[in-house]
Amino acid sequence: MSIRSINYAEKLKAIRIAEYMSQEEFSLSTGMDISVNKDYEDGGGLHDPLVIERLILMDNIKYRKYVLWLAIGQIAYEAGQIDPALSHYGPEKTMSHH
């Protein structure tokens, strides 16, 4: 089964940019083929939802903080779950700095 998901494409790109990674670096760190990553970001083609599921289920501390946001579009600051806009604070620092 394949799906078209601009929403997931935008989310993957937001995570990659928030982590200051190139497409190649992001692909290597997630195990996603770079051509799949480029297709997602370009918004073209149909994609296997297992790519997103694999990223959600990865036991990678770098991406763990985005799991809830990636899966259902919500955040839980108290649980260290953030969106990419807050990534530079890290999962343990979700409060704004004054």
Side-chain angles (χ1 to χ4, degrees):
M1 176 173 145
S2 294
I3 60 171
R4 177 185 296 270
S5 179
I6 299 302
N7 191 32
Y8 279 137
E10 291 170 358
K11 286 180 175 185
L12 288 176
K13 187 173 183 177
I15 290 170
R16 180 181 67 76
I17 290 170
E19 294 295 328
Y20 304 103
M21 300 176 89
S22 68
Q23 286 181 329
E24 183 175 356
E25 291 168 329
F26 186 71
S27 295
L28 288 172
S29 75
T30 61
M32 182 187 323
D33 188 272
I34 191 162
S35 64
V36 172
N37 185 37
K38 286 181 178 185
D39 282 347
Y40 264 112
E41 288 194 17
D42 291 341
L46 297 174
H47 303 287
D48 187 342
L50 295 177
V51 171
I52 300 301
E53 182 178 320
R54 186 175 70 223
L55 185 61
I56 290 170
L57 296 176
M58 277 181 68
D59 189 25
N60 184 323
I61 197 157
K62 178 183 290 251
Y63 304 114
R64 193 175 297 153
K65 61 190 171 192
Y66 304 120
V67 168
L68 190 60
W69 176 79
L70 183 60
I72 62 173
Q74 296 187 6
I75 52 178
Y77 299 118
E78 66 281 359
Q81 291 292 294
I82 63 174
D83 67 35
L86 296 175
S87 68
H88 59 282
Y89 295 122
E92 67 286 342
K93 299 176 184 174
T94 57
M95 304 296 286
S96 63
H97 292 62
H98 299 296

Coordinates of all heavy atoms in Angstrom, one line a residue:
M1 N 0.8 -1.2 0.0 CA 0.0 0.0 0.0 C 0.9 1.2 0.0 O 1.9 1.3 0.7 CB -0.9 0.0 1.3 CG -1.7 1.2 1.4 SD -2.8 1.0 2.8 CE -2.9 2.6 3.4
S2 N 0.6 2.2 -0.8 CA 1.3 3.5 -0.9 C 0.4 4.6 -0.7 O -0.8 4.5 -1.0 CB 2.0 3.6 -2.2 OG 3.0 2.6 -2.3
I3 N 0.9 5.7 -0.2 CA 0.1 6.9 0.1 C 0.8 8.1 -0.4 O 2.1 8.1 -0.5 CB -0.3 7.1 1.6 CG1 1.0 7.2 2.4 CG2 -1.2 6.0 2.0 CD1 0.7 7.6 3.9
R4 N 0.1 9.2 -0.7 CA 0.7 10.5 -1.0 C 0.5 11.3 0.3 O -0.6 11.5 0.8 CB 0.0 11.2 -2.2 CG 0.6 12.6 -2.4 CD -0.2 13.2 -3.6 NE -0.1 12.6 -4.8 CZ 0.9 12.8 -5.7 NH1 1.8 13.7 -5.5 NH2 0.9 12.1 -6.8
S5 N 1.6 11.8 0.9 CA 1.4 12.6 2.1 C 2.3 13.8 2.1 O 3.5 13.7 2.4 CB 1.7 11.8 3.3 OG 1.6 12.6 4.4
I6 N 1.8 15.0 1.6 CA 2.5 16.2 1.7 C 2.8 16.5 3.1 O 3.9 17.0 3.5 CB 1.8 17.3 1.0 CG1 1.5 17.0 -0.5 CG2 2.5 18.7 1.1 CD1 2.7 16.7 -1.3
N7 N 1.9 16.2 4.0 CA 2.1 16.5 5.4 C 3.3 15.8 6.0 O 4.1 16.4 6.6 CB 0.8 16.1 6.2 CG 0.8 16.5 7.7 OD1 1.4 17.6 8.0 ND2 0.3 15.8 8.5
Y8 N 3.5 14.5 5.7 CA 4.7 13.8 6.1 C 5.9 14.4 5.4 O 7.0 14.5 6.0 CB 4.6 12.3 5.8 CG 3.8 11.6 6.9 CD1 2.9 10.6 6.5 CD2 4.0 11.8 8.2 CE1 2.2 9.9 7.5 CE2 3.3 11.1 9.2 CZ 2.3 10.2 8.8 OH 1.6 9.5 9.8
A9 N 5.8 14.7 4.2 CA 7.0 15.3 3.5 C 7.4 16.6 4.2 O 8.6 16.8 4.4 CB 6.6 15.6 2.0
E10 N 6.5 17.4 4.6 CA 6.8 18.7 5.3 C 7.4 18.4 6.6 O 8.3 19.0 7.1 CB 5.6 19.5 5.4 CG 5.1 20.1 4.1 CD 3.7 20.8 4.2 OE1 3.1 20.8 5.3 OE2 3.3 21.3 3.2
K11 N 6.9 17.4 7.3 CA 7.4 17.0 8.6 C 8.8 16.5 8.6 O 9.7 16.9 9.4 CB 6.5 16.0 9.3 CG 5.2 16.6 9.8 CD 4.3 15.6 10.5 CE 3.1 16.2 11.1 NZ 2.3 15.2 11.8
L12 N 9.1 15.6 7.6 CA 10.4 15.1 7.5 C 11.4 16.2 7.2 O 12.5 16.2 7.7 CB 10.5 14.0 6.4 CG 9.8 12.7 6.7 CD1 9.8 11.7 5.5 CD2 10.5 12.0 7.9
K13 N 11.0 17.1 6.3 CA 11.9 18.2 5.9 C 12.2 19.1 7.2 O 13.3 19.5 7.4 CB 11.4 19.0 4.8 CG 12.3 20.0 4.3 CD 11.8 20.7 3.0 CE 12.8 21.7 2.5 NZ 12.4 22.3 1.2
A14 N 11.1 19.3 7.9 CA 11.2 20.2 9.1 C 12.2 19.6 10.1 O 13.0 20.2 10.7 CB 9.9 20.4 9.7
I15 N 12.1 18.3 10.3 CA 13.0 17.6 11.2 C 14.4 17.6 10.7 O 15.3 18.0 11.5 CB 12.6 16.1 11.4 CG1 11.2 16.0 12.2 CG2 13.7 15.3 12.1 CD1 10.6 14.6 12.2
R16 N 14.6 17.4 9.4 CA 16.0 17.4 8.9 C 16.6 18.8 9.0 O 17.7 18.9 9.5 CB 15.9 17.0 7.4 CG 17.3 17.0 6.7 CD 17.2 16.7 5.3 NE 16.5 17.7 4.4 CZ 17.0 18.8 4.0 NH1 18.2 19.2 4.4 NH2 16.3 19.6 3.3
I17 N 15.8 19.8 8.7 CA 16.3 21.2 8.8 C 16.6 21.5 10.3 O 17.6 22.2 10.6 CB 15.4 22.2 8.2 CG1 15.4 22.0 6.6 CG2 15.7 23.6 8.5 CD1 14.4 22.7 5.9
A18 N 15.7 21.2 11.2 CA 15.9 21.5 12.6 C 17.1 20.8 13.2 O 17.8 21.3 14.1 CB 14.7 21.0 13.4
E19 N 17.5 19.7 12.6 CA 18.7 18.9 13.1 C 19.9 19.4 12.3 O 21.0 18.8 12.5 CB 18.5 17.4 13.0 CG 17.4 16.9 13.9 CD 17.8 17.0 15.4 OE1 19.0 17.0 15.7 OE2 16.8 17.2 16.2
Y20 N 19.8 20.4 11.5 CA 20.9 20.9 10.7 C 21.6 19.9 9.8 O 22.8 19.8 9.8 CB 21.9 21.6 11.6 CG 21.4 22.7 12.4 CD1 21.1 22.5 13.8 CD2 21.0 24.0 11.8 CE1 20.5 23.6 14.5 CE2 20.5 25.0 12.6 CZ 20.2 24.8 13.9 OH 19.7 25.8 14.7
M21 N 20.8 19.1 9.2 CA 21.3 17.9 8.4 C 21.0 18.2 6.9 O 20.0 18.7 6.5 CB 20.7 16.6 8.8 CG 20.9 16.3 10.3 SD 20.1 14.8 10.8 CE 21.3 13.6 10.4
S22 N 22.0 17.7 6.1 CA 21.7 17.6 4.6 C 20.8 16.5 4.3 O 20.6 15.6 5.2 CB 23.0 17.4 3.9 OG 23.6 16.2 4.1
Q23 N 20.3 16.4 3.1 CA 19.4 15.3 2.8 C 20.2 14.0 2.9 O 19.7 13.0 3.3 CB 18.9 15.4 1.3 CG 17.8 16.4 1.2 CD 17.3 16.6 -0.2 OE1 18.0 16.4 -1.2 NE2 16.0 16.9 -0.3
E24 N 21.5 14.0 2.5 CA 22.3 12.8 2.6 C 22.5 12.4 4.0 O 22.4 11.2 4.3 CB 23.7 13.0 1.9 CG 24.5 11.8 1.8 CD 25.8 12.0 1.0 OE1 26.0 13.1 0.4 OE2 26.6 11.1 1.0
E25 N 22.9 13.3 4.9 CA 23.1 13.0 6.3 C 21.8 12.4 6.9 O 21.9 11.5 7.7 CB 23.5 14.3 7.1 CG 24.9 14.7 6.7 CD 25.2 16.1 7.3 OE1 24.3 16.9 7.4 OE2 26.4 16.4 7.6
F26 N 20.7 13.0 6.6 CA 19.4 12.6 7.2 C 19.1 11.2 6.7 O 18.7 10.3 7.5 CB 18.3 13.5 6.8 CG 16.9 13.2 7.4 CD1 16.7 13.4 8.8 CD2 15.9 12.7 6.7 CE1 15.5 13.2 9.4 CE2 14.7 12.4 7.2 CZ 14.5 12.7 8.6
S27 N 19.3 10.9 5.4 CA 19.1 9.6 4.8 C 20.0 8.6 5.5 O 19.5 7.5 5.9 CB 19.3 9.6 3.3 OG 18.4 10.4 2.7
L28 N 21.2 8.9 5.7 CA 22.2 7.9 6.3 C 21.8 7.6 7.8 O 21.8 6.5 8.2 CB 23.6 8.5 6.3 CG 24.3 8.4 4.9 CD1 25.6 9.2 5.0 CD2 24.5 7.0 4.5
S29 N 21.3 8.7 8.5 CA 21.0 8.5 9.9 C 19.7 7.8 10.1 O 19.5 7.2 11.2 CB 21.0 9.8 10.6 OG 19.9 10.6 10.3
T30 N 18.8 7.8 9.1 CA 17.5 7.1 9.3 C 17.4 5.8 8.6 O 16.5 5.1 8.7 CB 16.4 8.0 8.7 OG1 16.6 8.3 7.4 CG2 16.3 9.3 9.5
G31 N 18.4 5.5 7.7 CA 18.4 4.3 6.9 C 17.5 4.4 5.7 O 17.1 3.4 5.1
M32 N 17.0 5.6 5.5 CA 16.1 5.9 4.3 C 17.0 6.1 3.1 O 17.9 6.9 3.2 CB 15.2 7.1 4.6 CG 14.2 7.5 3.6 SD 13.4 9.0 3.8 CE 13.1 9.1 5.6
D33 N 16.6 5.5 2.0 CA 17.3 5.7 0.8 C 17.2 7.2 0.4 O 16.2 7.8 0.5 CB 16.8 4.9 -0.4 CG 17.6 4.9 -1.6 OD1 17.3 5.9 -2.4 OD2 18.5 4.1 -1.8
I34 N 18.3 7.8 0.0 CA 18.3 9.3 -0.3 C 17.3 9.6 -1.4 O 16.7 10.7 -1.4 CB 19.7 9.8 -0.7 CG1 19.6 11.3 -0.7 CG2 20.2 9.2 -2.0 CD1 21.0 12.0 -0.6
S35 N 17.1 8.7 -2.4 CA 16.1 9.0 -3.4 C 14.7 9.1 -2.8 O 13.9 9.9 -3.3 CB 16.1 7.9 -4.5 OG 15.8 6.7 -4.1
V36 N 14.4 8.2 -1.8 CA 13.1 8.3 -1.1 C 12.9 9.6 -0.4 O 11.9 10.3 -0.5 CB 12.9 7.1 -0.2 CG1 11.6 7.3 0.7 CG2 12.9 5.8 -0.9
N37 N 14.0 10.0 0.3 CA 14.0 11.3 1.0 C 13.8 12.5 0.1 O 12.9 13.4 0.3 CB 15.3 11.5 1.8 CG 15.3 12.7 2.7 OD1 14.2 13.1 3.2 ND2 16.4 13.4 2.8
K38 N 14.5 12.5 -1.1 CA 14.3 13.5 -2.0 C 12.9 13.6 -2.6 O 12.3 14.6 -2.8 CB 15.4 13.4 -3.2 CG 16.7 13.8 -2.7 CD 17.8 13.7 -3.8 CE 19.1 14.1 -3.3 NZ 20.1 14.1 -4.4
D39 N 12.4 12.4 -2.9 CA 11.0 12.3 -3.4 C 10.0 12.9 -2.4 O 9.1 13.6 -2.8 CB 10.6 10.9 -3.7 CG 11.2 10.4 -5.1 OD1 11.7 11.2 -5.8 OD2 11.1 9.1 -5.3
Y40 N 10.2 12.5 -1.1 CA 9.3 13.1 -0.1 C 9.4 14.6 -0.1 O 8.3 15.3 -0.1 CB 9.7 12.5 1.3 CG 8.9 11.4 1.7 CD1 9.5 10.1 1.9 CD2 7.6 11.5 2.1 CE1 8.8 9.0 2.3 CE2 6.8 10.4 2.5 CZ 7.5 9.1 2.6 OH 6.8 8.1 3.1
E41 N 10.6 15.1 -0.1 CA 10.7 16.6 0.0 C 10.3 17.3 -1.2 O 9.8 18.4 -1.1 CB 12.2 16.9 0.3 CG 12.6 16.6 1.8 CD 13.9 17.2 2.2 OE1 14.3 18.2 1.6 OE2 14.4 16.7 3.2
D42 N 10.4 16.7 -2.4 CA 9.9 17.3 -3.6 C 8.4 17.2 -3.7 O 7.8 17.8 -4.6 CB 10.5 16.6 -4.8 CG 12.0 16.9 -4.9 OD1 12.5 17.9 -4.3 OD2 12.7 16.2 -5.6
G43 N 7.8 16.3 -2.9 CA 6.3 16.2 -2.9 C 5.8 15.3 -4.0 O 4.6 15.3 -4.3
G44 N 6.7 14.6 -4.7 CA 6.2 13.8 -5.8 C 6.1 12.4 -5.5 O 6.7 11.9 -4.5
G45 N 5.3 11.7 -6.2 CA 5.2 10.3 -6.1 C 4.4 9.8 -5.0 O 4.0 10.5 -4.1
L46 N 4.2 8.5 -5.0 CA 3.5 7.8 -3.9 C 4.5 7.1 -3.0 O 5.6 6.7 -3.5 CB 2.5 6.7 -4.5 CG 1.4 7.2 -5.3 CD1 0.6 6.1 -5.9 CD2 0.5 8.1 -4.5
H47 N 4.2 7.1 -1.7 CA 5.2 6.6 -0.8 C 4.7 5.5 0.1 O 3.5 5.6 0.5 CB 5.8 7.8 0.1 CG 6.4 8.9 -0.7 ND1 7.6 8.8 -1.4 CD2 5.9 10.1 -1.1 CE1 7.8 9.9 -2.1 NE2 6.8 10.7 -1.9
D48 N 5.5 4.7 0.5 CA 5.2 3.6 1.4 C 5.1 4.2 2.8 O 6.1 4.7 3.3 CB 6.3 2.5 1.3 CG 5.9 1.3 2.1 OD1 5.1 1.3 3.0 OD2 6.6 0.2 1.8
P49 N 4.0 4.0 3.5 CA 3.9 4.5 4.9 C 4.9 3.9 5.9 O 5.1 4.4 7.0 CB 2.4 4.3 5.3 CG 2.0 3.2 4.3 CD 2.8 3.4 3.1
L50 N 5.4 2.7 5.5 CA 6.4 2.0 6.3 C 7.7 2.9 6.5 O 8.3 2.7 7.6 CB 6.7 0.7 5.8 CG 5.6 -0.3 5.7 CD1 6.0 -1.6 5.1 CD2 5.0 -0.6 7.1
V51 N 8.0 3.8 5.6 CA 9.1 4.7 5.8 C 8.9 5.5 7.0 O 9.8 5.7 7.9 CB 9.4 5.5 4.5 CG1 10.4 6.6 4.8 CG2 9.7 4.7 3.4
I52 N 7.7 6.1 7.2 CA 7.4 6.9 8.3 C 7.3 6.1 9.6 O 7.9 6.5 10.6 CB 6.1 7.7 8.1 CG1 6.2 8.6 6.8 CG2 5.7 8.5 9.3 CD1 7.3 9.6 6.9
E53 N 6.7 4.9 9.5 CA 6.6 4.0 10.6 C 8.0 3.7 11.1 O 8.2 3.6 12.3 CB 5.8 2.8 10.2 CG 5.6 1.9 11.4 CD 4.8 0.6 11.0 OE1 3.8 0.8 10.3 OE2 5.1 -0.5 11.5
R54 N 8.9 3.4 10.2 CA 10.3 3.0 10.6 C 10.9 4.2 11.4 O 11.6 3.9 12.4 CB 11.1 2.6 9.4 CG 12.5 2.1 9.8 CD 13.3 1.6 8.7 NE 13.7 2.6 7.8 CZ 13.6 2.6 6.5 NH1 13.2 1.5 5.9 NH2 14.0 3.6 5.8
L55 N 10.7 5.4 10.9 CA 11.3 6.5 11.6 C 10.7 6.7 13.0 O 11.4 7.0 13.9 CB 11.1 7.8 10.8 CG 11.8 9.1 11.3 CD1 13.3 8.9 11.4 CD2 11.5 10.3 10.4
I56 N 9.4 6.5 13.1 CA 8.7 6.7 14.4 C 9.2 5.6 15.3 O 9.4 5.9 16.5 CB 7.2 6.6 14.2 CG1 6.7 7.8 13.5 CG2 6.5 6.4 15.5 CD1 5.2 7.7 13.0
L57 N 9.4 4.4 14.8 CA 9.8 3.3 15.7 C 11.3 3.2 16.0 O 11.7 2.4 16.8 CB 9.3 2.0 15.1 CG 7.7 1.8 15.1 CD1 7.4 0.5 14.4 CD2 7.1 1.9 16.4
M58 N 12.1 4.0 15.3 CA 13.5 3.9 15.5 C 13.9 4.2 16.9 O 13.3 5.1 17.5 CB 14.2 5.0 14.6 CG 14.5 4.6 13.2 SD 15.3 5.9 12.3 CE 16.9 5.9 13.1
D59 N 14.8 3.5 17.4 CA 15.3 3.8 18.8 C 16.5 4.7 18.7 O 17.6 4.3 19.0 CB 15.6 2.5 19.5 CG 15.9 2.7 21.0 OD1 15.4 3.7 21.5 OD2 16.6 1.9 21.6
N60 N 16.3 5.9 18.2 CA 17.3 6.9 17.9 C 17.0 8.1 18.8 O 16.0 8.8 18.5 CB 17.4 7.2 16.5 CG 18.5 8.1 16.1 OD1 18.9 9.0 16.9 ND2 19.2 7.9 15.0
I61 N 17.8 8.4 19.7 CA 17.5 9.5 20.7 C 17.4 10.8 19.9 O 16.6 11.7 20.3 CB 18.6 9.6 21.8 CG1 18.1 10.4 22.9 CG2 19.9 10.1 21.2 CD1 18.7 10.2 24.2
K62 N 18.0 11.0 18.8 CA 18.0 12.2 18.0 C 16.5 12.5 17.6 O 16.1 13.6 17.5 CB 18.9 12.2 16.8 CG 18.9 13.4 16.0 CD 19.7 13.3 14.8 CE 21.2 13.4 15.1 NZ 21.9 14.5 14.8
Y63 N 15.8 11.5 17.2 CA 14.5 11.6 16.6 C 13.4 11.3 17.6 O 12.2 11.6 17.3 CB 14.3 10.8 15.4 CG 15.4 11.1 14.3 CD1 16.3 10.1 14.0 CD2 15.5 12.3 13.8 CE1 17.3 10.4 13.1 CE2 16.5 12.6 12.9 CZ 17.4 11.7 12.5 OH 18.4 12.0 11.6
R64 N 13.7 10.7 18.7 CA 12.7 10.3 19.7 C 11.8 11.4 20.1 O 10.6 11.3 20.4 CB 13.4 9.6 20.9 CG 12.5 8.9 21.8 CD 13.2 8.2 22.9 NE 14.1 7.2 22.4 CZ 15.2 6.8 22.9 NH1 15.6 7.3 24.1 NH2 16.0 5.8 22.3
K65 N 12.4 12.6 20.3 CA 11.6 13.8 20.7 C 10.5 14.2 19.8 O 9.7 15.0 20.1 CB 12.6 14.9 21.0 CG 13.4 15.4 19.8 CD 14.5 16.4 20.2 CE 15.4 16.6 19.0 NZ 16.6 17.3 19.4
Y66 N 10.6 13.8 18.5 CA 9.6 14.2 17.5 C 8.5 13.1 17.3 O 7.6 13.4 16.5 CB 10.3 14.4 16.1 CG 11.4 15.4 16.1 CD1 12.7 15.0 15.8 CD2 11.2 16.7 16.5 CE1 13.7 15.9 15.8 CE2 12.2 17.6 16.5 CZ 13.5 17.2 16.1 OH 14.5 18.2 16.1
V67 N 8.6 12.0 17.9 CA 7.7 10.9 17.6 C 6.2 11.2 17.7 O 5.5 11.0 16.7 CB 8.0 9.6 18.5 CG1 6.9 8.6 18.4 CG2 9.3 9.1 18.1
L68 N 5.8 11.8 18.7 CA 4.3 12.2 18.9 C 3.9 13.2 17.8 O 2.9 13.0 17.2 CB 4.1 12.7 20.3 CG 2.6 12.9 20.6 CD1 1.8 11.6 20.6 CD2 2.5 13.5 22.0
W69 N 4.8 14.2 17.6 CA 4.5 15.2 16.6 C 4.4 14.6 15.2 O 3.5 14.9 14.4 CB 5.5 16.3 16.6 CG 5.4 17.4 15.6 CD1 4.5 18.4 15.6 CD2 6.1 17.5 14.4 NE1 4.6 19.1 14.4 CE2 5.6 18.6 13.7 CE3 7.1 16.7 13.8 CZ2 6.1 19.0 12.5 CZ3 7.7 17.1 12.6 CH2 7.2 18.3 11.9
L70 N 5.4 13.7 14.9 CA 5.4 13.1 13.6 C 4.2 12.1 13.4 O 3.6 12.1 12.3 CB 6.7 12.3 13.4 CG 6.9 11.6 12.0 CD1 6.9 12.6 10.9 CD2 8.3 10.8 12.0
A71 N 3.9 11.4 14.4 CA 2.8 10.4 14.3 C 1.4 11.0 14.2 O 0.6 10.6 13.4 CB 2.9 9.4 15.4
I72 N 1.1 11.9 15.1 CA -0.2 12.5 15.2 C -0.3 14.0 15.2 O -1.4 14.6 15.4 CB -1.0 11.9 16.4 CG1 -0.3 12.2 17.7 CG2 -1.2 10.4 16.2 CD1 -1.2 11.8 18.9
G73 N 0.8 14.7 15.1 CA 0.8 16.1 15.0 C 0.6 16.8 16.3 O 0.2 18.0 16.4
Q74 N 0.9 16.2 17.4 CA 0.8 16.8 18.7 C 2.1 16.8 19.5 O 3.0 16.1 19.1 CB -0.3 16.0 19.6 CG -1.7 16.2 19.0 CD -2.7 15.6 19.8 OE1 -2.5 15.2 21.0 NE2 -3.9 15.5 19.3
I75 N 2.2 17.6 20.5 CA 3.4 17.7 21.3 C 3.0 17.4 22.8 O 1.9 17.6 23.2 CB 4.1 19.0 21.1 CG1 3.2 20.2 21.4 CG2 4.7 19.1 19.8 CD1 3.8 21.5 21.3
A76 N 4.0 17.0 23.6 CA 3.8 16.8 25.0 C 5.1 17.3 25.7 O 6.0 16.4 25.9 CB 3.5 15.4 25.3
Y77 N 5.2 18.5 26.0 CA 6.5 19.1 26.5 C 6.9 18.3 27.8 O 8.1 18.1 27.9 CB 6.3 20.6 26.9 CG 5.9 21.4 25.7 CD1 4.8 22.1 25.6 CD2 6.9 21.6 24.6 CE1 4.5 22.9 24.6 CE2 6.6 22.4 23.6 CZ 5.4 23.1 23.5 OH 5.1 23.9 22.5
E78 N 5.9 18.0 28.6 CA 6.3 17.3 29.9 C 6.9 15.9 29.7 O 7.6 15.4 30.5 CB 5.0 17.2 30.8 CG 3.9 16.3 30.2 CD 3.0 16.9 29.2 OE1 3.2 18.1 28.8 OE2 2.1 16.2 28.7
A79 N 6.7 15.4 28.5 CA 7.2 14.1 28.2 C 8.4 14.2 27.2 O 8.9 13.2 26.7 CB 6.2 13.2 27.5
G80 N 8.9 15.4 27.0 CA 10.0 15.6 26.1 C 9.7 15.6 24.6 O 10.5 15.4 23.8
Q81 N 8.4 15.6 24.3 CA 7.9 15.5 22.9 C 7.7 16.9 22.4 O 6.9 17.7 22.9 CB 6.6 14.7 22.8 CG 6.8 13.2 23.1 CD 7.6 12.6 22.1 OE1 7.2 12.4 20.9 NE2 8.8 12.1 22.4
I82 N 8.4 17.3 21.4 CA 8.4 18.6 20.8 C 8.2 18.6 19.3 O 8.2 17.5 18.7 CB 9.8 19.3 21.1 CG1 10.9 18.6 20.5 CG2 9.9 19.5 22.7 CD1 12.3 19.4 20.6
D83 N 8.0 19.8 18.8 CA 8.0 19.9 17.3 C 9.4 20.4 16.9 O 10.2 20.9 17.7 CB 6.9 20.7 16.8 CG 6.9 22.2 17.2 OD1 8.0 22.8 17.3 OD2 5.9 22.8 17.4
P84 N 9.8 20.4 15.6 CA 11.1 20.8 15.2 C 11.4 22.2 15.5 O 12.6 22.6 15.7 CB 11.1 20.5 13.7 CG 10.1 19.4 13.5 CD 9.0 19.7 14.5
A85 N 10.5 23.1 15.7 CA 10.8 24.5 16.0 C 11.4 24.6 17.3 O 12.1 25.6 17.6 CB 9.5 25.3 16.0
L86 N 11.3 23.7 18.2 CA 11.9 23.7 19.5 C 13.1 22.8 19.6 O 13.7 22.7 20.7 CB 10.9 23.3 20.6 CG 9.7 24.2 20.7 CD1 8.7 23.7 21.7 CD2 10.1 25.6 21.2
S87 N 13.6 22.2 18.6 CA 14.6 21.2 18.6 C 15.9 21.7 19.2 O 16.6 21.0 19.9 CB 14.9 20.6 17.3 OG 15.4 21.5 16.4
H88 N 16.2 23.0 19.0 CA 17.5 23.5 19.5 C 17.6 23.6 21.0 O 18.6 23.7 21.6 CB 17.9 24.8 18.8 CG 16.9 25.9 19.1 ND1 15.7 25.9 18.4 CD2 16.9 26.9 20.0 CE1 15.0 27.0 18.9 NE2 15.7 27.6 19.8
Y89 N 16.5 23.4 21.7 CA 16.4 23.4 23.1 C 16.7 22.0 23.7 O 17.0 21.8 24.8 CB 15.1 23.9 23.7 CG 14.9 25.4 23.4 CD1 13.8 25.8 22.7 CD2 15.8 26.3 23.8 CE1 13.6 27.1 22.5 CE2 15.6 27.7 23.6 CZ 14.5 28.1 22.9 OH 14.3 29.4 22.6
G90 N 16.5 21.0 22.8 CA 16.6 19.6 23.2 C 15.4 19.1 24.0 O 14.6 19.8 24.5
P91 N 15.3 17.8 24.1 CA 14.1 17.2 24.7 C 14.0 17.5 26.2 O 12.9 17.6 26.8 CB 14.2 15.7 24.5 CG 15.7 15.5 24.3 CD 16.2 16.7 23.7
E92 N 15.1 17.8 26.9 CA 15.0 18.1 28.3 C 14.8 19.6 28.6 O 14.7 20.0 29.7 CB 16.2 17.6 29.0 CG 17.5 18.2 28.7 CD 18.1 17.8 27.3 OE1 17.7 16.8 26.7 OE2 18.9 18.6 26.8
K93 N 14.9 20.4 27.6 CA 14.8 21.9 27.7 C 13.7 22.4 26.8 O 14.0 23.0 25.8 CB 16.1 22.5 27.5 CG 17.2 22.1 28.4 CD 18.5 22.7 28.0 CE 19.6 22.2 28.8 NZ 20.9 22.7 28.4
T94 N 12.5 22.3 27.1 CA 11.4 22.7 26.2 C 10.8 24.1 26.6 O 10.0 24.6 25.9 CB 10.3 21.7 26.2 OG1 9.8 21.5 27.5 CG2 10.7 20.4 25.6
M95 N 11.3 24.7 27.7 CA 10.9 26.0 28.1 C 11.7 27.1 27.3 O 12.9 26.9 27.0 CB 11.1 26.2 29.6 CG 10.4 25.2 30.4 SD 8.6 25.2 30.2 CE 8.2 26.6 31.2
S96 N 11.1 28.2 27.0 CA 11.8 29.2 26.3 C 12.9 29.9 27.2 O 12.7 29.9 28.5 CB 10.9 30.3 25.8 OG 10.2 30.9 26.8
H97 N 14.0 30.3 26.7 CA 15.0 30.9 27.5 C 14.9 32.4 27.4 O 14.6 33.0 26.4 CB 16.4 30.6 26.9 CG 16.7 29.1 27.0 ND1 16.0 28.1 26.4 CD2 17.7 28.5 27.7 CE1 16.5 26.9 26.8 NE2 17.6 27.2 27.5
H98 N 15.0 33.1 28.6 CA 14.9 34.6 28.7 C 16.3 35.2 28.8 O 17.2 34.7 29.3 CB 14.1 34.9 29.9 CG 12.7 34.4 29.8 ND1 11.8 34.8 28.9 CD2 12.0 33.5 30.6 CE1 10.6 34.1 29.1 NE2 10.8 33.3 30.1

